[in-house]
Amino acid sequence: MLQNPLQREEGFRLLVNVYKKRLYWHIRGLVLLHDDADDVLQNTFIKVFRNIGKFRADSALYTWMFRIATNESLSFLKSAAKKTNMSLELVQQERIRNLKSDPYFDGDELELSLQEAIVTLPERQQMVFRMKYFQDMKYEEMSELLGTSVGSLKASYHHARKKIEERIMKNAEG
């Protein structure tokens, strides 16, 4: 770890510039709203900065940062659920309703319908679906990030896609 504060600050600034966009979109996929994603991203980088000295390099730097971002996002959502005395699923459904008024959301009704279907999935399937569908991640990269086998990820994605298709078709009929 760099001992010189100026070098450390410059190194951290470079780290932020390299990874902020990718981490933002991962976080945004979980918390949905732009302002909240910005807050969680900032908290993620604060944790990265404070803990970079503890990084053991037994995984890629992005993998370590991705896990911090994921944990920060899930903690944010669980905290929101606790504050409102609502289940995590209800909090996410409320966030989807608020998505329409988010000035940074440029989706249409089909996108909202997709988001509504995604939040009904178990947490792992949500994450796998978002990583594959929205971020076009390869299964091998997802396997490293999530610590799960490629086969398991393929199965999760398949089940998630099937459930989402069924839900969207059901909503379109009704």
Side-chain angles (χ1 to χ4, degrees):
M1 187 64 199
L2 301 172
Q3 296 302 318
N4 180 321
L6 289 176
Q7 286 180 322
R8 184 176 176 182
E9 188 176 313
E10 184 59 34
F12 183 71
R13 191 174 301 124
L14 179 63
L15 192 76
V16 169
N17 287 335
V18 169
Y19 294 111
K20 71 180 175 189
K21 186 175 182 181
R22 196 168 175 202
L23 286 172
Y24 168 84
W25 286 109
H26 170 64
I27 293 166
R28 177 84 185 263
L30 296 170
V31 302
L32 300 176
L33 303 174
H34 167 75
D35 289 341
D36 293 336
D38 267 356
D39 290 345
V40 173
L41 181 64
Q42 184 175 6
N43 291 341
T44 297
F45 278 118
I46 288 169
K47 273 211 170 147
V48 166
F49 185 77
R50 287 183 179 155
N51 295 295
I52 194 78
K54 297 176 187 172
F55 176 63
R56 294 186 312 268
D58 53 357
S59 65
L61 182 59
Y62 178 73
T63 301
W64 179 71
M65 292 171 58
F66 176 91
R67 288 187 183 130
I68 292 171
T70 300
N71 291 337
E72 285 296 305
S73 299
L74 295 176
S75 292
F76 176 86
L77 291 171
K78 287 174 184 167
S79 174
K82 192 174 184 179
K83 284 178 190 171
T84 58
N85 260 352
M86 294 167 52
S87 71
L88 195 53
E89 186 176 330
L90 285 175
V91 165
Q92 288 181 301
Q93 288 172 352
E94 180 67 27
R95 299 176 81 65
I96 289 168
R97 282 191 289 280
N98 292 335
L99 212 74
K100 289 181 183 180
S101 61
D102 186 339
Y104 298 99
F105 178 70
D106 59 0
D108 56 13
E109 289 300 316
L110 185 57
E111 174 72 17
L112 286 171
S113 197
L114 175 61
Q115 293 295 340
E116 287 170 350
I118 292 171
V119 300
T120 65
L121 298 172
E123 191 175 287
R124 172 69 70 169
Q125 286 182 6
Q126 283 186 43
M127 188 142 351
V128 170
F129 183 83
R130 289 181 191 285
M131 292 167 79
K132 184 72 177 151
Y133 185 83
F134 292 113
Q135 299 174 27
D136 197 28
M137 248 186 229
K138 305 279 184 252
Y139 286 111
E140 292 74 20
E141 184 179 8
M142 290 172 22
S143 175
E144 182 182 336
L145 292 171
L146 300 174
T148 307
S149 73
V150 169
S152 174
L153 292 167
K154 286 180 178 181
S156 287
Y157 181 74
H158 172 77
H159 292 300
R161 201 179 86 222
K162 190 171 177 69
K163 289 176 186 175
I164 288 169
E165 286 173 2
E166 289 171 1
R167 173 125 183 173
I168 289 175
M169 294 305 260
K170 183 176 146 191
N171 289 346
E173 292 169 0

